[in-house]
Amino acid sequence: MERKLKTIGVLTSGGDAPGMNAAIRAVTRSARFNDLNVIGIMRGYEGLINKEFVTFTSSSVSNTIQRGGTILKTARSQAFMTAEGRRKAYENMVEEGIDALIVIGGNGTLTGAQLFAREYDIPIIGLPGTIDNDLYGTDSTIGYDSALNTIVECVDKIRDTANSHDRIFFIEVMGRDAGFLAQNSAIASGAEAAIIPEGDTDVDQLAEFIERGKRKSKNSAIVLVSEAQKNGAGGAFYYADRIRREFPQFDAKVTILGHLQRGGTPSAYDRILASRMGFAAIEALMEGQRNVMIGIKNDEIVYVPITRAVKTDKPIKQELISVLNVLSM
Ligand code: F6P
């Protein structure tokens, strides 16, 4: 028999992403609107294992929609990856009277949720919270748009120096195994190329582009390099070294944007997305949904089985690659 839903727990896990607070706020307020009790779980799955529980009211989330990071804090829990850790987490939930969980995070977070839901009879709703945009079944993840905007702002600044000094900049951006941040920030900043794990772009195509650029009397260039492209971590240095050897007439520089990309105030898009998704998460629970991730497709909220969201590859549209190639000439 279905347990009556009285109390939900909400947590953020994995890398923080702008808009997580807006999601926590939406979950909390929508739950309270439906007379559900809300327990904020600190530090992701770690807090579930260590019983770091805080009772949340509507005012607990006041003045948070505009804040980056996560008021619930976050962690990448090793303990939750063990059966023993998950057992402890389940016992704590039962003791605390938490009937359902809302987890906000990326691939690792949802993979943890999937394992947990397989072993224990708990309804779980996932919200895609990651700057990487690498979850299948949703056009965008919470935090992706903000990170994209941050990157573009940085690239615009670097462009001034690239132009003034006639330099080629290789700018490394995050994204884990996905190239969405690199590809789309390259388009948005008018960069000359993007090197992404999904593409077959390599330095030889880069050489072609340099030749093309010379014909157009371009002496400076910006290349966005995904942290996970073929040459692994430090790929931006690899490409800069090759340029120095093969095209010594160019001055090549490397900039790694690093954790600059994760913090900061969420964009309006991410705030709205997180609000809609948080609201939808409570609706989903009330409808009896379980073990689904809330996604957005063509501006409509959709439910994606968590298993599909984490297991299926999310491809980068070929169109985006063509747009960059043609417009960067
Ligand atoms: O998943 C978000 C992300 O920022 C990735 O883009 C990046 O590879 C990773 O997290 C970095 O993690 P950490 O902050 O733990 O070093």
Side-chain angles (χ1 to χ4, degrees):
M1 201 182 69
E2 284 282 319
R3 268 196 313 263
K4 182 154 169 26
L5 187 63
K6 278 211 245 116
T7 302
I8 61 141
V10 56
L11 61 82
T12 50
S13 159
D16 63 302
M20 278 184 162
N21 286 327
I24 299 165
R25 173 180 177 270
V27 165
T28 304
R29 295 214 166 146
S30 304
R32 294 302 303 132
F33 179 81
N34 288 291
D35 287 327
L36 298 173
N37 302 317
V38 181
I39 304 290
I41 300 159
M42 304 301 293
R43 277 169 263 275
Y45 296 122
E46 281 294 294
L48 203 52
I49 294 170
N50 300 324
K51 285 184 90 169
E52 287 189 77
F53 299 143
V54 183
T55 300
F56 262 37
T57 62
S58 278
S59 60
S60 310
V61 291
S62 296
N63 199 18
T64 57
I65 195 167
Q66 77 284 14
R67 283 167 60 190
T70 159
I71 56 167
L72 286 175
K73 298 192 180 277
T74 186
R76 299 191 196 279
S77 176
Q78 290 306 315
F80 196 73
M81 296 318 285
T82 67
E84 174 56 20
R86 292 192 294 278
R87 190 180 55 77
K88 189 85 193 87
Y90 177 69
E91 286 168 2
N92 290 342
M93 278 183 67
V94 172
E95 208 180 297
E96 192 69 20
I98 301 175
D99 307 308
L101 266 190
I102 302 211
V103 302
I104 308 167
N107 209 291
T109 303
L110 295 184
T111 302
Q114 189 196 352
L115 278 175
F116 201 34
R118 239 184 238 154
E119 292 166 349
Y120 300 99
D121 180 26
I122 315 154
I124 304 183
I125 305 290
L127 294 191
T130 167
I131 64 165
D132 301 337
N133 197 30
D134 58 349
L135 289 163
Y136 178 85
T138 187
D139 290 340
S140 192
T141 56
I142 298 165
Y144 169 62
D145 180 69
S146 307
L148 207 49
N149 280 294
T150 301
I151 294 170
V152 170
E153 202 182 316
C154 294
V155 175
D156 288 349
K157 292 193 165 102
I158 293 171
R159 172 75 79 184
D160 290 344
T161 302
N163 272 336
S164 305
H165 286 260
D166 283 340
R167 283 179 180 164
I168 298 182
F169 272 87
F170 291 89
I171 304 176
E172 186 189 286
V173 296
M174 283 185 171
R176 205 177 282 281
D177 299 321
F180 293 98
L181 284 172
Q183 186 68 30
N184 281 324
S185 61
I187 293 174
S189 61
E192 279 63 30
I195 300 177
I196 58 171
E198 296 88 344
D200 55 5
T201 316
D202 59 29
V203 81
D204 300 314
Q205 278 163 285
L206 206 60
E208 218 180 90
F209 128 80
I210 284 172
E211 287 305 317
R212 201 172 63 204
K214 269 204 300 209
R215 279 204 307 279
K216 299 240 172 203
S217 27
K218 272 192 182 178
N219 291 322
S220 69
I222 301 280
V223 181
L224 270 296
V225 184
S226 178
E227 64 177 344
Q229 43 62 52
K230 282 192 223 83
N231 289 289
F237 289 103
Y238 165 86
Y239 291 111
D241 282 347
R242 280 201 62 181
I243 290 287
R244 284 187 199 109
R245 267 186 276 121
E246 294 170 30
F247 303 93
Q249 70 274 31
F250 292 113
D251 188 6
K253 296 279 179 191
V254 171
T255 302
I256 297 183
L257 295 185
H259 287 85
L260 250 185
Q261 298 160 84
R262 274 228 309 254
T265 188
S267 65
Y269 179 86
D270 274 334
R271 295 181 200 195
I272 296 166
L273 182 67
S275 300
R276 289 178 71 184
M277 286 182 161
F279 174 85
I282 297 299
E283 298 260 292
L285 274 181
M286 309 273 295
E287 277 172 22
Q289 293 284 342
R290 40 166 64 213
N291 313 330
V292 292
M293 179 192 83
I294 305 293
I296 191 130
K297 276 271 165 199
N298 304 320
D299 203 36
E300 297 291 338
I301 290 289
V302 291
Y303 301 149
V304 187
I306 290 182
T307 328
R308 284 203 79 192
V310 296
K311 285 264 165 61
T312 319
D313 279 345
K314 182 172 171 183
I316 289 203
K317 285 195 192 107
Q318 180 55 43
E319 175 214 346
L320 294 173
I321 295 168
S322 306
V323 166
L324 179 63
N325 289 347
V326 171
L327 303 191
S328 63
M329 279 202 292

